[in-house]
Amino acid sequence: MSHTRTSLQLCFLLVYLSYTAQRVNGVWPLPQQTEESAETYTLSPQLFSFTYGNDSAVQAGCSVLDAAFKRYFSIIFPDFTDASAPGPHHVWSQLKGFGVSVSVKSSGCDGYPDEDSDESYKLSVSEGQALLRSVSVWGALRGLESLSQLVYQDDYSSYFINKTQIVDFPRFAYRGLLLDTSRHYLPLHAILKTLDAMSYSKFNVFHWHIVDDPSFPYQSRSFPDLSNKGAFHPFTHIYTQTDIRRVIEHSRMRGIRVVPEFDSPGHTQSWGKGQPDLLTPCYKGDVPSGSFGPVNPTLDSTYKFMGRLFKEVKSVFPDSYVHIGGDEVSFSCWMSNPNVGAFMKTMGFGKDYTKLESFYMENIMNMTATLNKTSIVWQDVFDYHERIPQDTILEIWKGSTVQYQAEMSRMTKAGHRVLLSAPWYINHISYGQDWRYSYAIQPQNFTGTEEQKKLVIGGEVAMWGEYVDATNLTPRLWPRACAAAERLWSNEERTLNADLAFPRLEDFRCKLLRRGIQAEPLFVGYCRHEYNGL
């Protein structure tokens, strides 16, 4: 009788363990190809290791992967500390070891990710081992992230992984996220945490909209008064050169590019505080009104200043891309200024102030081209029919679906590469599951040839800062940005159904909480490990 009761208890325990070990299958964003079986392996943190494959072009000492192994060990085993390690007679000592072997085809651990980086990888999980193969260290990082999401726990905190095969690569090369650090200053820790969360969703470009009308927090070596007089506070609300290096290195270690934006000629009110004669004096009748408009495009001193500033930007930010803005330029101040009017007449521009903006932007684009930088500009620059260098990237930020699709047709027909941002301005919020709107976007759904559609190199989530600072940045971004992340990484045909995506995204949101990311709930429910940072 006692033996029967023990057998029944054991059966019940096995059934219960099977039930509690169940989880939502899948990685976010969804890999291109996945085969997962019910075959399950138990993992022990004491018997788990990362190693370099014998055939790997990179070996121990590779800065990117050495750091990633340490980082992902803590992510995979969040409960484990040296103090929690069991004694030699603990049940874990009966388990087999599990090794993750990483092989990278091409050498290079000290450089930066770029537009041509290969992020593909293959991951094979079987008994006792996982084999991760990639062309570059950046692909290996993406594979490690997927591996980390395959590991799960039961209610007894035991760790498991299933037999899995993944073949994966991104759909688009550019998967960006914009942060605005002018309208509200974002402290360094908030930016670094955002970069962590970006890597979990396989974003690979941090678009740093670092300055704007309200404040100029970038501390320039060449022009220190820009932040001394233009920042909210010259000591507490600035980004020093050391801060910027830290952001760039934190990004590099996660395979993320840093693309700075210095938007002009509009959005420059804060610039004028520290750089006299840069902005256009506005007039009321025949006398200055005391207010200032956009950058003054009629003065040689303007272009000398911009040339020195962008030369410094080139030395500080290693990426080949730089965003030079060009959006939302108000012409009223230019129209009021008699000196600008005289310049217009001399240049033969008549009363068409779009030609004046074109003149300015063409000078800036030529300047950045001389510095071997690829310019990104907002769509306004294209809309004003400016003579745009062919390699300039155009970013669409406004319009309804029909309008931005028509814009994409025109831009790609002109042979330009395009980024889509208009439907992913997630600083706008609405009640309910608004991530579904982001998820439904089809970036290549516009009238054009296949060659035109290949010119869409990706897209960008934008988090503008009018109503966002460090208090609400993270919950407003996550997991809402994850919808765009999957759209930009994954196969579109396999990921168009938001109802099918919901349980995976809900599970991923819980993973974000476990990793210290204060991600908002998607709907009613709970996570086994709720956010514990409050």
Side-chain angles (χ1 to χ4, degrees):
M1 188 70 176
S2 175
H3 180 268
T4 304
R5 186 184 298 117
T6 302
S7 298
L8 287 171
Q9 289 173 336
L10 182 60
C11 288
F12 174 80
L13 181 60
L14 289 172
V15 170
Y16 181 73
L17 284 173
S18 174
Y19 172 79
T20 56
Q22 286 178 359
R23 79 200 203 292
V24 176
N25 292 331
V27 170
W28 193 281
L30 189 71
Q32 301 292 336
Q33 299 174 32
T34 306
E35 292 180 23
E36 186 171 6
S37 81
E39 190 172 328
T40 304
Y41 315 118
T42 306
L43 302 180
S44 161
Q46 294 87 353
L47 302 173
F48 185 97
S49 62
F50 290 103
T51 59
Y52 291 90
N54 292 331
D55 60 343
S56 178
V58 300
Q59 294 290 333
C62 172
S63 58
V64 172
L65 292 185
D66 283 356
F69 292 165
K70 292 179 181 177
R71 193 166 66 246
Y72 276 105
F73 184 90
S74 298
I75 287 172
I76 290 170
F77 302 111
D79 298 326
F80 180 75
T81 62
D82 290 338
S84 68
H89 300 297
H90 190 275
V91 65
W92 288 125
S93 63
Q94 306 303 313
L95 295 173
K96 295 180 180 178
F98 191 94
V100 180
S101 175
V102 179
S103 292
V104 179
K105 187 175 181 180
S106 59
S107 60
C109 292
D110 300 321
Y112 295 89
D114 59 36
E115 59 188 299
D116 298 318
S117 293
D118 189 322
E119 297 175 280
S120 64
Y121 67 92
K122 295 179 181 178
L123 177 63
S124 174
V125 178
S126 57
E127 186 173 6
Q129 66 175 355
L131 301 178
L132 173 58
R133 308 189 74 86
S134 65
V135 174
S136 72
V137 291
W138 318 120
L141 288 177
R142 306 300 173 232
L144 289 171
E145 175 56 41
S146 293
L147 174 73
S148 73
Q149 293 185 34
L150 293 174
V151 178
Y152 56 103
Q153 284 181 282
D154 64 9
D155 284 343
Y156 295 91
S157 297
S158 297
Y159 294 97
F160 301 92
I161 192 168
N162 284 22
K163 184 176 184 179
T164 309
Q165 301 283 337
I166 291 177
V167 177
D168 203 11
F169 53 88
R171 182 183 175 202
F172 292 103
Y174 188 112
R175 306 177 306 283
L177 188 151
L178 175 151
L179 289 186
D180 167 14
T181 58
S182 173
R183 289 172 176 83
H184 282 99
Y185 175 81
L186 294 175
L188 196 61
H189 70 81
I191 295 175
L192 299 180
K193 178 169 273 195
T194 300
L195 291 166
D196 291 343
M198 285 173 65
S199 71
Y200 303 152
S201 294
K202 299 188 173 74
F203 281 106
N204 69 342
V205 180
F206 170 36
H207 174 175
W208 195 349
H209 188 89
I210 193 166
V211 298
D212 206 297
D213 281 328
S215 72
F216 197 105
Y218 170 77
Q219 188 179 61
S220 168
R221 291 192 300 258
S222 305
F223 303 100
D225 274 352
L226 288 171
S227 61
N228 284 343
K229 298 179 179 179
F232 289 135
H233 190 283
F235 304 121
T236 60
H237 286 61
I238 60 168
Y239 302 107
T240 66
Q241 298 286 317
T242 300
D243 292 335
I244 292 166
R245 282 194 296 271
R246 187 171 171 194
V247 168
I248 291 170
E249 183 62 8
H250 197 87
S251 301
R252 184 183 83 86
M253 299 299 274
R254 287 152 184 78
I256 296 172
R257 301 163 58 190
V258 180
V259 175
E261 180 181 359
F262 289 83
D263 187 1
S264 69
H267 291 282
T268 48
Q269 288 299 298
S270 66
W271 302 40
K273 296 175 182 177
Q275 185 63 21
D277 302 322
L278 178 65
L279 303 185
T280 306
C282 305
Y283 275 67
K284 190 171 185 179
D286 296 331
V287 295
S289 67
S291 61
F292 293 87
V295 166
N296 191 336
T298 70
L299 302 177
D300 288 343
S301 58
T302 291
Y303 300 102
K304 288 177 182 176
F305 163 77
M306 295 300 288
R308 280 187 67 192
L309 179 64
F310 277 111
K311 190 173 182 181
E312 178 182 310
V313 168
K314 174 184 171 67
S315 71
V316 173
F317 294 91
D319 200 83
S320 61
Y321 289 4
V322 61
H323 205 303
I324 59 174
D327 64 316
E328 294 186 311
V329 180
S330 171
F331 298 146
S332 58
C333 186
W334 283 349
M335 293 169 70
S336 76
N337 185 299
N339 296 321
V340 173
F343 183 84
M344 294 277 288
K345 188 174 182 180
T346 300
M347 297 298 292
F349 292 162
K351 298 292 183 182
D352 186 354
Y353 285 85
T354 66
K355 290 183 179 178
L356 182 59
E357 185 188 351
S358 299
F359 172 81
Y360 173 82
M361 289 303 297
E362 287 164 20
N363 273 284
I364 302 301
M365 286 186 281
N366 291 335
M367 200 179 287
T368 53
T370 302
L371 294 169
N372 293 317
K373 290 281 191 180
T374 298
S375 293
I376 306 176
V377 296
W378 297 110
Q379 70 183 82
D380 314 48
V381 178
F382 177 81
D383 293 343
Y384 288 148
H385 309 292
E386 298 170 21
R387 291 190 295 274
I388 303 173
Q390 198 62 44
D391 69 339
T392 302
I393 297 166
L394 309 177
E395 183 164 9
I396 298 174
W397 69 274
K398 57 185 175 179
S400 65
T401 303
V402 171
Q403 288 170 326
Y404 73 66
Q405 287 174 343
E407 185 87 334
M408 294 175 89
S409 294
R410 290 190 293 268
M411 288 175 170
T412 54
K413 191 171 183 180
H416 288 290
R417 289 175 291 171
V418 174
L419 292 171
L420 180 62
S421 191
W424 290 318
Y425 267 43
I426 64 170
N427 51 292
H428 297 291
I429 57 176
S430 61
Y431 189 75
Q433 297 185 36
D434 59 354
W435 69 272
R436 290 174 178 265
Y437 302 120
S438 296
Y439 199 75
I441 303 306
Q442 296 176 276
Q444 293 177 321
N445 184 18
F446 61 91
T447 302
T449 64
E450 286 305 307
E451 289 305 308
Q452 282 179 254
K453 295 185 178 185
K454 288 177 184 175
L455 290 171
V456 180
I457 62 171
E460 208 163 65
V461 167
M463 181 54 72
W464 295 99
E466 288 88 350
Y467 303 99
V468 175
D469 67 5
T471 65
N472 62 345
L473 171 67
T474 300
R476 189 164 291 194
L477 262 177
W478 311 107
R480 295 163 71 232
C482 303
E486 181 150 291
R487 182 57 55 242
L488 292 169
W489 178 280
S490 306
N491 179 288
E492 186 174 270
E493 292 181 2
R494 294 182 60 212
T495 55
L496 279 180
N497 190 322
D499 290 335
L500 292 179
F502 177 81
R504 284 191 304 109
L505 184 54
E506 191 174 44
D507 177 69
F508 184 60
R509 183 252 172 179
C510 290
K511 288 187 171 80
L512 292 177
L513 294 189
R514 193 82 194 275
R515 298 179 185 194
I517 304 300
Q518 197 170 348
E520 284 186 338
L522 289 161
F523 194 51
V524 177
Y526 79 104
C527 292
R528 179 177 289 149
H529 302 280
E530 298 288 4
Y531 185 76
N532 61 8
L534 297 177

